[in-house]
Amino acid sequence: MPNATRIAIANQKGGVGKTTSCFALAAAKAKSGAMTLMIDLDPQYSLTESCGMMPDDAAFTSKNTCNLFSKKTDLLKCCFNVKAVKLNNLFIVPATQDLAMINKKIFTKAGIVNTFKSNIDTLSRFFDYIFIDCPPQLDGLLTSALAAADKVVVPVKAERLSYKGLKLITGSINEAKITGLNPTLELTGLVITMYRQQTREHNEYLQKMEQEENNILGIVPLATIVTKELDKGKPCTVAHPTSNASKAYFEIANKL
């Protein structure tokens, strides 16, 4: 059986393309033939909606990401095929608003993070890759993702505020290692998103990140094509595979 590589897509700053990157990279891995699972760990459920799935669908009422925090769960029944991409090896555990309640419980119930990690361990037997789309702040959900992941990939815009978010998530990764939450957690690298080569700020912050010896996995240019068909459940790596943005994501996926 496979033993999945578990990748958290995280940045403690919103609007940097976490969900878009998660979907594009996971689809790229699925197109290469890998059994791939995405986990929507954000109560705003953007990844779920990007897959063309409605969080209030009756099918997801008792089968969603909240179940991954329970010991009494048929885990595989929570994994739904992303039908819009027409790949029979790309799945998602969808999110609902109830995740916000789970986030509160994490701070009051000992062991719930370990339960999530244990369930991810179990799911790893059935997939080659598991991508976790994280919320844009340090909370119990992000802590759970860092506990369960092997690697962290950080989407970041080459801008001041996004750069500050990079500093925060780097600190959270180091804390997870130092405190023993996940001693082997690895910051795999950065994905520069929505990059505009003609913009001075973008060039300055890209240079700053390079000088700090960050491992930059790839640079995805700003393009409407990246999000153009997300409302139809298709990431750019499926809808427009030959675009420059998609080529960048395919190259990044090959490094994971």
Side-chain angles (χ1 to χ4, degrees):
M1 283 189 176
N3 186 16
T5 298
R6 295 170 285 192
I7 304 168
I9 308 296
N11 189 328
Q12 288 169 231
K13 170 73 174 67
V16 296
K18 290 188 303 296
T19 296
T20 301
S21 295
C22 183
F23 198 7
L25 292 171
K29 282 298 187 185
K31 287 187 74 172
S32 73
M35 284 291 292
T36 306
L37 175 66
M38 300 181 292
I39 296 174
D40 191 347
L41 203 58
D42 189 341
Q44 297 183 57
Y45 47 75
S46 296
L47 179 60
T48 301
E49 288 190 326
S50 293
C51 291
M53 304 161 80
M54 295 298 104
D56 57 356
D57 191 307
F60 311 141
T61 302
S62 60
K63 300 180 180 67
N64 55 67
T65 312
C66 294
N67 296 66
L68 302 186
F69 292 88
S70 170
K71 293 181 179 179
K72 299 178 181 179
T73 297
D74 189 336
L75 296 170
L76 290 179
K77 286 188 177 180
C78 297
C79 303
F80 294 84
N81 179 243
V82 184
K83 295 181 180 179
V85 300
K86 297 181 180 179
L87 295 169
N88 60 12
N89 57 336
L90 180 61
F91 295 82
I92 183 175
V93 180
T96 68
Q97 287 182 333
D98 292 338
L99 255 183
M101 296 303 298
I102 293 292
N103 189 35
K104 293 181 180 179
K105 289 181 181 180
I106 289 173
F107 295 102
T108 59
K109 290 191 175 183
I112 194 170
V113 171
N114 288 333
T115 297
F116 177 81
K117 183 180 184 302
S118 177
N119 284 334
I120 298 301
D121 287 342
T122 299
L123 284 172
S124 293
R125 303 171 193 167
F126 302 95
F127 295 93
D128 298 303
Y129 291 91
I130 295 177
F131 288 84
I132 306 174
D133 188 30
C134 300
Q137 62 272 332
L138 179 58
D139 58 11
L141 297 172
L142 177 57
T143 298
S144 300
L146 296 182
D150 301 314
K151 305 178 178 183
V152 182
V153 170
V154 181
V156 57
K157 293 168 69 176
E159 297 176 355
R160 182 177 63 86
L161 292 178
S162 185
Y163 177 75
K164 292 176 70 174
L166 168 61
K167 294 291 186 180
L168 292 172
I169 188 63
T170 301
S172 296
I173 293 168
N174 290 335
E175 184 177 0
K177 296 170 69 173
I178 293 169
T179 61
L181 178 70
N182 189 346
T184 60
L185 185 63
E186 170 193 304
L187 173 54
T188 299
L190 315 182
V191 175
I192 309 300
T193 59
M194 297 175 251
Y195 181 68
R196 298 193 300 270
Q197 190 174 12
Q198 293 77 23
T199 302
R200 180 178 178 180
E201 182 184 24
H202 284 206
N203 289 320
E204 287 179 353
Y205 277 91
L206 175 59
Q207 186 178 40
K208 186 185 291 284
M209 287 183 278
E210 289 174 335
Q211 289 173 345
E212 292 174 354
E213 298 184 355
N214 291 291
N215 182 26
I216 297 176
L217 298 170
I219 300 173
V220 182
L222 178 68
T224 57
I225 210 166
V226 174
T227 56
K228 186 177 181 180
E229 296 193 49
L230 280 182
D231 60 341
K232 300 177 184 176
K234 296 180 181 180
C236 63
T237 46
V238 170
H240 305 284
T242 60
S243 68
N244 289 334
S246 293
K247 289 177 181 178
Y249 276 123
F250 279 119
E251 290 176 5
I252 294 164
N254 288 336
K255 298 175 182 178
L256 301 178

